[in-house]
Amino acid sequence: DPVDFNAWLASGVTAGWAGMITSAYGQHMMPFVNNEMNDWSVNIQAQMVNTRYGYFPTVAWVPERVWFNTTGYPSSGVNDWIGDNWLGHGINGVILDDDVHLSGHDNHQIHTLSGNGLRLIPRDRAFTGNIIGGNGQGSLDILTGLAGSPVGEFRIAVFAEDWEAVAEMGGWAEIVPNAKET
C-alpha cells in the first residue's frame, strides 16, 4: 500500500535502508517524574519500535530536549537524573542539542558520559538550521569543512528535527518552505 507510511518504513528496515531511533513513550518531561516511570517509558518505546518495525533502536532523542540533573542548574523540581534510564534498555546513545547540553564540547564528535558510558551525540544546530532553512550550500560547507579538517577522519554532523518541520506539515510549511527540498 503506497499510502501506508508505517508499512513503507518497515519495508525499509527489512531492506536495510531505514533505521530507527527511539525516545520515551509519552514524550513526558523525564526529569520531573520518578525514575521508575522513566525506565518504564524508555523500555516500552523501544519495544514498540521493535514490534512495529522489526528494528531494535540503540539511539534515542530525549523528549523535549530536557537533560537536567538533580545537582546542577536548573534543578528546581527535578526528580530524576535521566542519564541512567537508557543503557539498561539497550539504548547506547542519546541525541542532545549541541549548544544547550554539550556546550564547550566538539559538536562533530560523539562523547561518552562519565560514570556510565552512555554516548552523547550532539545535534548540530547550525547544520540542522541550514537544512530546515533551505540553505543547502551552508550545510554542504559544514560537511566540506569537516572533510578537510585536520582533527581526524571520524567527524559527524547530526541533522535532527521533528518530522512535521522537515515535512513542512501544518504551520511549518510557511515557516520552513524549503526544508523538504534541501
Side-chain angles (χ1 to χ4, degrees):
D1 181 354
V3 296
D4 185 345
F5 176 79
N6 285 313
W8 172 77
L9 195 53
S11 70
V13 167
T14 301
W17 56 261
M20 306 289 289
I21 64 172
T22 190
S23 190
Y25 179 72
Q27 293 287 294
H28 62 284
M29 302 288 278
M30 293 178 73
F32 300 101
V33 301
N34 66 38
N35 185 63
E36 293 76 17
M37 176 63 184
N38 288 330
D39 273 337
W40 176 87
S41 181
V42 169
N43 183 48
I44 289 297
Q45 183 66 35
Q47 287 181 30
M48 287 173 61
V49 170
N50 189 37
T51 298
R52 179 63 181 98
Y53 300 105
Y55 182 90
F56 192 86
T58 59
V59 175
W61 196 2
V62 177
E64 295 303 323
R65 302 182 187 124
V66 290
W67 190 257
F68 302 138
N69 65 60
T70 55
T71 60
Y73 177 83
S75 62
S76 181
V78 173
N79 294 316
D80 186 33
W81 165 235
I82 67 173
D84 65 357
N85 293 114
W86 307 95
L87 287 168
H89 304 290
I91 310 304
N92 300 321
V94 294
I95 298 170
L96 299 174
D97 287 339
D98 59 351
D99 58 339
V100 177
H101 304 298
L102 291 169
S103 181
H105 293 80
D106 184 342
N107 70 340
H108 296 118
Q109 174 182 330
I110 296 173
H111 304 278
T112 303
L113 184 61
S114 175
N116 73 357
L118 181 68
R119 303 291 188 199
L120 306 177
I121 305 162
R123 169 188 183 253
D124 186 329
R125 185 176 295 274
F127 185 68
T128 299
N130 282 329
I131 291 174
I132 290 295
N135 182 1
Q137 186 60 53
S139 295
L140 183 58
D141 290 346
I142 290 171
L143 296 175
T144 303
L146 289 174
S149 170
V151 175
E153 63 180 310
F154 299 106
R155 309 293 283 156
I156 187 171
V158 174
F159 168 83
E161 188 55 80
D162 296 333
W163 275 97
E164 62 271 17
V166 177
E168 301 171 27
M169 300 295 291
W172 286 103
E174 293 176 18
I175 298 167
V176 292
N178 298 305
K180 288 185 300 195
E181 297 78 6
T182 307

